């Protein structure tokens, strides 16, 4: 090679590998196919591209194919003007295809709907087609993923239809760029520079989301600031909406219920007041004038100090329907959160959302979705599914998962969340007998819901790799894949993500898939085993604080949840206790109520048991607790050991960053084990089981730890 060319090639390769190594490229790395046979077969099948043009979305698809194929196949694939040449990749909407191709694929096309797509072989060509331009773009990303993960494309026939309508990220981002429960740096929305300055990140964000089928984003925190609804900010929101539109991503905002008072100069925000109604109607019209495809509002009302209709003696129905009417003429929706609990309600917090919302089933307007967290408390490492799923047949219920790891080790711990999501989606509500899974509630098939959705609280920030922990990307990715298809297996998602992100080498993919799948159980074990929950320290939620019992609101105290005493530990939610189990279908309630059938993973969620209660392995509850904490620590050690063997497959930076993080994770896993067990020992008065490593520090030491600057802390909004 010529000296100069060699020099520039080296520089180019260096730049490419740097951007691969720093994680910015996410799962869209498009590394050259290493497998020679596959490379040849791909090159033979794709000798040219015929691509429909016309819209911005189609242009994006075309650009993505150029970028992807030239890198993956390491050759420039020419565009041609006819779809009839052999070995051409034909990409376009159905109406645009040759009549002959249309006839051939007619059957599949009949069932193609929403933004689904079809990838199929026709004679010597591969066709990517859809009813909408966005469907074409989704098909393009899917096809590129086939190549990236080195799957065969010979005789490819893949029909994909998204199973939910609204696949959305919820950013808990504040206007000052702090992110509530965000652990990956500042908010990516640079409000101060908008609308004039379009950060490249906005485009890259849209592209990444489109690549996994996410089609909506709520830009602002549910602990909302009314200012985002003022003209000054609407202009900025419009600029973002304009960037996202060709990627099929709609923008939504959080609506602060008291906005008519705060920015509208009204004296009330009563949803039944005609002036208030008019104010919101005008506000919606103003937003839609700037953003004709604005998605709608997300609302946290009468929850944790946020204002809402109850401030005026009105109900959630009154509040939600009032807002729904303002966006209905523009095809907008209202996503009304069910995360409510009150310090004035002495009943079990786990019961409150159900008690409040289930009687309202059928009373909401058609464009209202109720957004329900996966479990009845709050994104804990493990919770049983929320009893509202399966109890509101007449109301669209959206799933709310948390992608950011508020209670699962921030962006320091490697925890693969799709495993948690899958557990919830697979859970059986028994609403209409066996097989009435949560997934069927979410995709609307159980009660033929007209509108469906899934929300994920984003883990995205300004860190170069977007999510802080490199494996945090897998949680964003996996969330998107499950929002598209809630029936996907978490294992398949892990494998796919590993191939896209790191390597296709089986010696990497197989052990790492295993590591990711087990990582979720590890965190449950070292933080909250056997159904324990809400044991974290107060405010910032960093580290263990099971001893905290002096907070003003009883249900904010960890002691409220574990109820440890000289006799035993656990929250009795059976009919002898809070009777929360009665909110589930009788089959599920009975399963949880009976000690013989209650899964041990939920034991202390539903039962208060004596320290000497014998578990299935014949050992006491106390010993089992110690064993589980130890198992969690051992599992992290196992993860560390597995990672050591991955060095040959990745760059040294990639290796180092996860290696350092796993060390911290191990340290913190031990901290959780030791602090929790020392504290519980003050009640059990029993020796630690012999298999458990003995704590090296005292309980006083752990109780003295303070972290005033832990990240993601909730701002003082009130
Ligand atoms: O989990 C709790 C968080 C709050 C959050 C709240 C919610 C946005 O600690 O920070 O507020 O849930 O979901 O509304």
């Amino acid at each position: 090679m010529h000296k100069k060319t060699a020099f520039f090639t080296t520089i180019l390769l260096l730049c490419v590998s740097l951007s691969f190594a720093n994680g910015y490229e996410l799962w869209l790395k498009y590394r050259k196919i290493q497998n020679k046979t596959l490379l040849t077969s791909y090159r033979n099948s794709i000798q040219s591209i015929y691509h429909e043009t016309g819209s911005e979305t189609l242009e994006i698809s075309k650009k993505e194919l150029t970028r992807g194929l030239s890198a993956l196949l390491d050759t420039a694939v020419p565009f041609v003007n006819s779809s009839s040449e052999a070995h051409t990749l034909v990409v376009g909407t159905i109406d645009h295809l040759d009549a002959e191709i249309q006839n051939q694929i007619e059957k599949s096309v009949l069932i193609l709907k929403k933004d689904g797509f079809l990838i199929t072989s026709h004679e010597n060509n591969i066709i990517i087609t859809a009813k909408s331009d966005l469907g074409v773009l989704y098909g393009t990303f899917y096809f590129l993923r086939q190549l990236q993960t080195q799957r065969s494309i010979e005789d490819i026939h893949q029909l994909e239809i998204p199973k939910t309508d609204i696949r959305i990220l919820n950013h808990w981002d504040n206007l000052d760029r702090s992110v509530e429960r965000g652990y990956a740096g500042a908010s990516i929305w640079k409000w101060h520079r908008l609308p004039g300055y379009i950060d490249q990140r906005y485009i890259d964000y849209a592209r990444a989301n489109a690549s996994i089928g996410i089609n909506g984003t709520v830009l602002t925190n549910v602990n909302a600031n009314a200012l985002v609804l003022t003209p000054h900010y609407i202009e900025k929101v419009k600029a973002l909406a304009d960037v996202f539109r060709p990627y099929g991503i709609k923008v939504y905002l959080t609506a602060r219920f008291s906005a008519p008072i705060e920015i509208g100069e009204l004296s009330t925000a009563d949803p039944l007041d005609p002036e208030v109604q008019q104010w919101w109607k005008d506000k919606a019209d103003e937003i839609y004038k700037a953003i004709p495809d604005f998605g709608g509002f997300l609302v946290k009302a009468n929850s944790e100090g946020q204002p809402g209709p109850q401030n005026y003696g009105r109900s959630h129905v009154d509040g939600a329907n009032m807002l729904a009417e303002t966006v209905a003429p523009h095809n907008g929706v209202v996503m009304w959160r069910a995360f409510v609990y009150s310090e004035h309600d002495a009943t079990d917090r786990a019961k409150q959302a159900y008690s409040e919302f289930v009687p309202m089933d059928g009373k909401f307007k058609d464009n209202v979705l109720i957004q329900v967290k996966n479990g009845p408390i709050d994104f804990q490492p493990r919770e049983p599914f929320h009893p509202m799923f399966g109890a509101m047949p007449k109301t669209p219920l959206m799933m709310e998962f948390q992608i950011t790891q508020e209670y699962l080790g921030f962006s320091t711990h490697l925890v693969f969340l799709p495993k948690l999501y899958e557990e919830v989606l697979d859970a059986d509500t028994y609403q209409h007998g066996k097989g009435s899974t949560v997934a069927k509630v979410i995709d609307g098939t159980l009660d033929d819901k007209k509108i469906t959705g899934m929300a994920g609280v984003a883990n995205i920030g300004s860190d170069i790799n977007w999510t802080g922990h490199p494996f945090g990307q897998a949680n964003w990715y996996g969330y998107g894949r499950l929002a598209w298809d809630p029936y996907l297996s978490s294992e398949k998602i892990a494998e796919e993500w590993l191939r896209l992100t790191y390597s296709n080498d089986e010696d990497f993919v197989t052990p790492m898939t295993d590591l990711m799948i087990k990582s979720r159980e590890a965190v449950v074990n070292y933080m909250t085993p056997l159904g324990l929950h809400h044991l974290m320290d107060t405010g910032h939620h960093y580290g263990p604080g099971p001893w905290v019992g002096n907070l003003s609101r009883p249900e904010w105290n960890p002691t409220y949840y574990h109820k440890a005493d000289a006799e035993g530990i656990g929250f009795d939610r059976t009919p002898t206790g809070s009777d929360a189990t009665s909110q589930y279908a009788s089959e599920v309630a009975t399963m949880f109520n009976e000690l013989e059938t209650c899964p041990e993973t939920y034991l202390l969620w539903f039962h208060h048991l004596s320290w000497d209660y014998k578990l299935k392995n014949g050992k006491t509850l106390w010993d089992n607790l110690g064993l589980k904490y130890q198992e969690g620590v051992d599992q992290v050690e196992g993860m560390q050991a597995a990672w050591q063997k991955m060095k040959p497959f990745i760059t040294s930076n990639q290796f180092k960053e996860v290696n350092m993080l796993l060390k911290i994770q191990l340290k913190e896993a031990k901290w959780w084990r030791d602090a929790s067990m020392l504290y519980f020992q003050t009640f059990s008065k029993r020796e630690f089981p012999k298999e458990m490593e003995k704590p090296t520090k005292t309980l006083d030491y752990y109780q003295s730890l303070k972290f005033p600057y832990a990240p993601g802390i909730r701002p003082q909004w009130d």
Side-chain angles (χ1 to χ4, degrees), residues 13 54 183 216 233 294 307 349 555 595 628 637:
L13 281 177
Y183 311 103
Y233 278 96
F294 177 67
R349 172 174 163 191
E555 77 294 354
L595 278 168
K628 279 285 169 201
E637 271 170 359

Side-chain angles (χ1 to χ4, degrees), residues 278-413:
Q278 189 60 43
W279 186 88
W280 279 109
K281 196 181 161 304
D282 293 345
K283 186 49 72 186
D285 290 348
E286 181 188 346
I287 298 174
Y288 277 98
K289 197 155 174 252
I291 310 163
D293 56 352
F294 177 67
F297 295 121
L298 169 65
V299 188
K300 171 175 177 177
N302 295 118
S303 163
E304 300 186 331
Q306 292 299 300
Q310 291 173 351
N311 297 30
Y312 307 94
R314 314 296 182 194
S315 69
H316 288 290
V317 174
D318 297 327
N321 286 352
M322 182 271 292
L323 281 178
E325 269 183 42
T326 71
V327 292
H330 310 278
N331 294 320
V333 298
V334 167
M335 297 168 290
W336 193 269
R337 294 179 87 226
F339 180 67
V340 297
Y341 61 98
S342 161
E343 72 268 44
H344 306 300
D345 188 341
T347 50
D348 179 1
R349 172 174 163 191
K351 293 177 72 175
Q352 295 185 23
Y354 177 105
S355 306
E356 198 153 341
F357 278 89
V358 170
M360 300 173 188
D361 191 24
K363 300 202 173 123
F364 292 97
K365 298 241 174 238
D366 288 349
N367 59 334
V368 175
L369 296 109
I370 302 300
Q371 186 170 306
V372 188
K373 288 190 182 183
N374 59 270
I377 298 288
D378 192 6
F379 298 137
Q380 292 299 295
R382 170 167 280 130
E383 297 193 27
F385 69 91
H386 202 301
M388 281 175 69
F389 296 121
M392 295 186 75
K394 297 191 205 114
T395 311
L397 297 184
M398 266 177 94
M399 172 63 76
E400 180 175 321
F401 283 131
Q402 195 178 48
I403 313 174
T404 191
Q405 293 170 234
E406 174 180 1
Y407 302 104
L408 290 104
F410 293 8
S411 60
T412 321
H413 295 206

Side-chain angles (χ1 to χ4, degrees), residues 19 64 87 103 111 119 131 185 222 237 241 250 264 317 327 375 380 401 470 475 480 482 565 586 611 718:
S19 75
E64 194 69 34
H87 308 296
N103 285 342
I111 53 168
I119 306 179
K131 284 197 166 158
V222 287
V237 174
K250 280 189 182 180
V317 174
V327 292
Q380 292 299 295
F401 283 131
N475 295 334
L482 282 167
D565 56 25
S586 64
W611 297 110
D718 49 3

Side-chain angles (χ1 to χ4, degrees), residues 546-613:
W547 44 80
V548 177
N550 60 355
L551 304 175
S552 59
R553 290 180 61 160
E555 77 294 354
W556 280 354
N557 289 308
T559 51
Y560 170 96
Y561 296 94
H562 63 68
K563 302 203 186 304
D565 56 25
E567 301 305 313
I569 184 169
F571 199 129
D572 183 2
R573 293 193 163 104
T574 71
T576 57
S578 80
D579 199 24
T581 51
S582 66
Q583 295 183 334
Y584 291 100
S586 64
E587 292 89 337
V588 182
T590 310
M591 186 237 324
F592 287 144
N593 284 338
E594 305 297 329
L595 278 168
E596 297 73 49
T597 51
C598 181
E600 287 187 349
T601 44
Y602 297 122
L603 205 55
L604 303 177
W605 185 285
F606 289 113
H607 297 272
H608 185 85
L609 296 170
S610 97
W611 297 110
D612 290 327
Y613 174 79

Side-chain angles (χ1 to χ4, degrees), residues 61 74 88 91 93 145 207 215 308 319 360 409 417 471 714:
S61 163
D74 194 28
T88 298
V91 190
T93 50
R145 197 153 65 220
R207 172 175 168 250
N215 66 359
M360 300 173 188
L417 295 178
F471 278 71
R714 190 175 173 158

